[in-house]
Amino acid sequence: MKPPSALTSLFSALVLTVLLYVGATPFGPLPALGHFLDPVHGVWAGARGTSLPPSVDHRVPGLSAQVEIVYDDRRVPHIFAETVEDVIRGLGYAVARDRLFQLELQTRATAGTLTELVGEAALAVDRRSRQLGLAWSAEMNFADLPPESELAGYLQSYADGVNAWIEQMSSAELPLEYHLLGRAPMRWLPQYSLYLLKRMGWTLAMSN
């Protein structure tokens, strides 16, 4: 077998350099392909999280007793707990598991911070959202809630559940959209649930 010529070696080195550059360089709002195609932490890891395991035990801060979440054959979660607060923690956990990117997308669309997630392409949408003031209204409503009120407790319980999922989530369980954008999920604040209520109210009012 003939050894590679100097020209072949030079060409191979050039191709490798180009691939390394492309793999490390983000394009617009998209991440670098090297991170995206990483077989351990990249998009391929998501394929390992598409099926529900028979049983999983996780610790969720704030629970007063055991909570059981059972998925039926349509993958609809059924939550069993001793208190309303624990049911809501379980709900936050289940929704985050199944709809984490949608939660963040709708919250950012309400707050006018989509550009932080997808880049300048969303600038016009963010400006309109800030003009509407839905997030400002939600923040005012949340600030007026007595900390010891039932609603404040429920909002915190839901946030506890969402954040519990985010904190224990593996690379295989990270939604595809985060891999595409090269982003990590944001931490869920209690008032974000009010953001979603404001957004839904506005959407339903504008659809009539």
Side-chain angles (χ1 to χ4, degrees):
M1 187 177 194
K2 294 166 74 173
S5 66
L7 184 60
T8 301
S9 299
L10 180 62
F11 179 75
S12 299
L14 180 61
V15 170
L16 179 59
T17 301
V18 170
L19 290 175
L20 288 173
Y21 174 78
V22 171
T25 305
F27 293 90
L30 298 179
L33 289 178
H35 171 78
F36 180 69
L37 298 177
D38 181 343
V40 178
H41 302 292
V43 65
W44 306 116
R48 297 193 294 269
T50 55
S51 300
L52 284 171
S55 177
V56 177
D57 290 328
H58 287 143
R59 294 185 179 275
V60 176
L63 288 179
S64 63
Q66 180 176 335
V67 173
E68 186 177 15
I69 304 175
V70 179
Y71 283 81
D72 63 21
D73 55 1
R74 296 174 300 159
R75 300 189 69 158
V76 175
H78 302 265
I79 303 170
F80 303 90
E82 298 293 329
T83 67
V84 174
E85 289 81 4
D86 283 353
V87 168
I88 294 174
R89 287 187 182 92
L91 178 63
Y93 189 89
V95 173
R97 183 207 175 278
D98 298 331
R99 296 287 183 266
L100 182 58
F101 185 75
Q102 289 91 328
L103 280 177
E104 179 163 352
L105 191 69
Q106 289 298 317
T107 302
R108 288 191 176 279
T110 306
T113 60
L114 279 173
T115 51
E116 296 177 10
L117 188 65
V118 302
E120 292 184 5
L123 189 57
V125 177
D126 278 352
R127 284 173 175 164
R128 176 167 173 74
S129 295
R130 295 195 180 209
Q131 288 170 351
L132 283 172
L134 297 178
W136 173 85
S137 176
E139 290 287 349
M140 294 300 100
N141 291 159
F142 185 73
D144 287 340
L145 276 178
E148 68 280 0
S149 67
E150 188 175 66
L151 179 55
Y154 291 164
L155 294 174
Q156 184 61 58
S157 295
Y158 189 81
D160 289 344
V162 173
N163 289 325
W165 171 258
I166 293 172
E167 288 164 5
Q168 63 80 49
M169 178 177 57
S170 67
S171 296
E173 293 161 329
L174 185 70
L176 171 64
E177 295 89 347
Y178 289 109
H179 286 292
L180 287 170
L181 296 169
R183 305 288 185 178
M186 68 179 184
R187 186 170 180 79
W188 190 262
L189 300 179
Q191 60 265 40
Y192 287 167
S193 294
L194 298 181
Y195 283 37
L196 297 183
L197 288 175
K198 298 283 185 179
R199 180 79 179 183
M200 181 59 69
W202 179 78
T203 300
L204 293 175
M206 292 299 292
S207 65
N208 293 330

